[in-house]
Amino acid sequence: MTAKLLLTGKTHNTGGRNGGTRSADGQLDLKLKQPHPAAENLFGAAWSACYIGAIEHAASQRNIKLPAGAEVDAEIDLNVDDGSYFLRARFNVSVPGVDRDVAHEIIHAAHEICPYSKATRGNIDVETNLI
C-alpha cells in the first residue's frame, strides 16, 4: 500500500505566562496562559472535527444523506491516578432526522474511519452517546 499525503498541519507553541500556539497557515492563533485546559480543549476540537467528518463519510458510504444540523460535543478529561496522567473522552452526537438505529451504526462506524479515533484506540477510554 502506498500512502498519499493529504495535508500537513504545522503549529508552533510557546510556554509560560505569554504562551500560545499559532498554525503556519495563520488560521489558528491563540494565547495559552496555561497548558491545561487549553490542551484538552484543542484536542477535543481537533478530534471532534475529524470525527464529524468521519460521520459524514460513514453516512455517504451507506448512501445516507445526513440532514443539516449534525453536531458533536467533545469532552476530554485529564485524570491522574497514583502520579500517572491519562485522558478520557466523551462524544455527545446529534444526528437529527436519522433513524436512531441507523445513527448508532453511523457514529460507531465513524470511529473506524477517523484517524484520531484510530490513533487513540486502546489508549483512551471513549464513550459515544447519541443524543
Side-chain angles (χ1 to χ4, degrees):
M1 181 166 93
T2 303
K4 177 182 176 185
L5 177 65
L6 298 177
L7 63 96
T8 300
K10 295 181 182 181
T11 59
H12 176 76
N13 288 275
T14 56
R17 293 179 62 178
N18 295 316
T21 188
R22 179 172 169 77
S23 62
D25 63 9
Q27 289 191 37
L28 182 66
D29 189 1
L30 301 169
K31 292 193 181 305
L32 306 174
K33 294 179 183 177
Q34 297 177 338
H36 303 285
E40 288 72 28
N41 289 336
L42 290 169
F43 185 60
W47 190 355
S48 61
C50 179
Y51 182 60
I52 200 164
I55 289 170
E56 293 167 351
H57 187 70
S60 72
Q61 287 178 325
R62 290 158 176 75
N63 295 316
I64 297 168
K65 182 167 174 39
L66 290 180
E71 298 178 347
V72 175
D73 291 323
E75 299 175 16
I76 307 297
D77 300 328
L78 175 62
N79 303 278
V80 65
D81 184 18
D82 197 28
S84 178
Y85 295 92
F86 63 98
L87 300 174
R88 285 193 179 123
R90 278 176 309 289
F91 291 94
N92 297 309
V93 182
S94 174
V95 190
V98 175
D99 176 82
R100 286 193 68 79
D101 290 337
V102 173
H104 274 289
E105 178 186 336
I106 291 168
I107 66 174
H108 291 293
H111 279 301
E112 299 301 315
I113 295 168
C114 174
Y116 282 80
S117 296
K118 289 179 183 181
T120 58
R121 189 168 293 123
N123 297 311
I124 296 176
D125 289 334
V126 179
E127 177 184 321
T128 304
N129 303 303
L130 179 62
I131 55 172

